[in-house]
Amino acid sequence: MPHMMKCTQCGATAVLNMPQHRLKLCAEHLVAWATKMTQKAIDRYGLFTRDERILVAVSGGKDSLALWDMLHQLDYTTEGLYINLGIDHEAYSDVSQCAVQQFAEERGLLLHVVNMRDVYGHSVVEAARGRRGGRICSVCGLVKRYIMNRMANEGEFDAIATGHNLDDEVAVLLMNTLHWEQRYLSRQAPLLPSIHPRLARKVKPLVLLYERETAAYALVRQIDYVTQECPYAEGASSIFAKRILNQLERRSPGTKYQFYLGFLRLREAGYIAAAEQPVGPMQACTQCGQPTTADGLCAFCRLWKETT
Ligand code: Q46
Ligand code: ZN
Ligand code: ZN
């Protein structure tokens, strides 16, 4: 029988070893610790307050559902948003929607569902097809940003929260550093402030947690999340970056944590100059009314016009 790990805090059987924090925790202490780390990120980076209303973007995966669960436990005022992108491969979108709906019902939480086909007439797959050379993920990213902004604006939310964990952020950081993408580096942060009264701020409260920690949290809390990945996620360069980072982490626990937090410290100290591209004056899209720097139609409405 393998050597039994003991919780650093109470001596009970530990379910997770986190060498980067020199901690082994039992189920109960893991839940408390992970929730505390989320609260710490909210406070340290000034993400939002208890008087504000937060729209949580949920995909059905472990991270976003763990995030919603934690914010609910922490007594924040939240509503969920699920965007059904119309990805039919193994019924990915519908299966995910069911998981999110069940999660919300069990907890008495309010969930908004936007079905791309019903509301906008096309799935993201169809929209990407209509675009010459359009990679589905870039079309999908644009569509998700647009719907999140629009729902937050219409529902008068103060912030949009997403379930990005530390592994997600550090993978993006590595790739942006390899290419010295100054513009992206200057904007990579747990909080993206609002740049227009009709655009809510964007926040990432899970940035202090490793993916394996959010996964363990979701398991211990018995959250029924979808393990199936989006079929288009395969081959994304961020997956390769994650693999490399995990190799570094195994050799030297804490590498990911230090790389990311060190970056944020440098950024806060002003070493990563904000390469603010001059944001032109924003005006209302002539079709949907959402703020845009473009003349006439916003990027989403232009994409949709090409599709139809
Ligand atoms: S962007 Fe691409 Fe994701 Fe959209 S198409 Fe799937 S993998 S869901 S985060
Ligand atoms: Zn314990
Ligand atoms: Zn528009």
Side-chain angles (χ1 to χ4, degrees):
M1 208 179 124
H3 178 64
M4 213 173 65
M5 286 194 304
K6 285 199 173 146
C7 174
T8 320
Q9 293 183 1
C10 73
T13 307
V15 294
L16 193 69
N17 181 13
M18 298 177 287
Q20 78 278 21
H21 295 300
R22 293 178 204 280
L23 274 179
K24 298 182 177 90
L25 294 177
C26 68
E28 192 187 319
H29 283 119
L30 170 73
V31 168
W33 177 85
T35 311
K36 203 179 79 198
M37 289 300 268
T38 300
Q39 183 67 67
K40 190 170 156 183
I42 294 169
D43 297 338
R44 185 190 282 180
Y45 304 114
L47 303 189
F48 44 78
T49 66
R50 285 198 169 67
D51 307 326
E52 295 184 305
R53 292 175 59 243
I54 318 302
L55 184 64
V56 186
V58 281
S59 66
K62 61 186 181 327
D63 299 298
S64 54
L65 290 184
L67 170 63
W68 200 7
D69 187 62
M70 284 183 199
L71 295 184
H72 178 51
Q73 296 296 318
L74 287 166
D75 258 342
Y76 284 100
T77 309
T78 59
E79 289 175 26
L81 169 63
Y82 178 76
I83 303 173
N84 187 314
L85 300 161
I87 295 173
D88 297 328
H89 181 81
E90 290 175 3
Y92 173 70
S93 289
D94 292 342
V95 168
S96 304
Q97 181 176 333
C98 278
V100 174
Q101 274 170 330
Q102 195 192 330
F103 175 93
E105 263 164 42
E106 282 170 7
R107 289 159 182 79
L109 290 165
L110 191 60
L111 173 71
H112 305 270
V113 174
V114 176
N115 186 307
M116 292 300 300
R117 279 204 189 92
D118 296 348
V119 181
Y120 296 100
H122 301 285
S123 69
V124 281
V125 185
E126 288 150 9
R129 223 176 272 146
R131 214 186 204 198
R132 269 172 299 148
R135 231 179 78 74
I136 181 154
C137 288
S138 61
V139 168
C140 182
L142 177 118
V143 164
K144 286 194 288 195
R145 267 195 308 279
Y146 175 82
I147 293 177
M148 283 194 277
N149 283 331
R150 190 163 174 177
M151 291 298 286
N153 178 22
E154 288 173 2
E156 297 181 3
F157 287 92
D158 298 286
I160 300 166
T162 55
H164 295 91
N165 58 42
L166 192 143
D167 290 66
D168 297 325
E169 292 300 296
V170 92
V172 172
L173 174 60
L174 177 64
M175 295 196 305
N176 284 341
T177 308
L178 288 175
H179 299 112
W180 293 116
E181 294 274 11
Q182 196 196 352
R183 197 156 67 86
Y184 292 134
L185 286 170
S186 71
R187 284 192 314 191
Q188 192 182 352
L191 180 145
L192 263 190
S194 159
I195 48 161
H196 186 279
R198 297 183 71 177
L199 293 173
R201 94 184 73 110
K202 303 232 172 62
V203 295
K204 300 172 185 168
L206 297 186
V207 289
L208 298 182
L209 292 174
Y210 281 14
E211 189 170 332
R212 58 195 289 270
E213 293 158 7
T214 62
Y217 176 92
L219 281 175
V220 170
R221 292 278 301 153
Q222 297 183 317
I223 295 174
D224 231 341
Y225 63 86
V226 177
T227 49
Q228 195 182 337
E229 289 262 359
C230 173
Y232 301 101
E234 230 173 272
S237 45
S238 61
I239 293 183
F240 188 61
K242 280 184 182 175
R243 223 173 282 149
I244 292 171
L245 284 157
N246 283 334
Q247 280 180 18
L248 292 169
E249 180 77 21
R250 261 194 297 279
R251 276 201 148 199
S252 175
T255 301
K256 292 188 288 191
Y257 197 77
Q258 283 152 19
F259 184 37
Y260 183 61
L261 288 194
F263 162 72
L264 289 185
R265 272 195 296 272
L266 285 180
R267 196 181 169 278
E268 277 160 24
Y271 287 101
I272 318 283
E276 285 308 341
Q277 76 285 39
V279 187
M282 291 220 168
Q283 49 227 9
C285 166
T286 48
Q287 185 159 321
C288 73
Q290 277 294 99
T292 175
T293 47
D295 260 335
L297 295 184
C298 72
F300 177 86
C301 288
R302 250 181 297 140
L303 167 71
W304 238 245
K305 205 174 145 200
E306 282 172 32
T307 309
T308 39

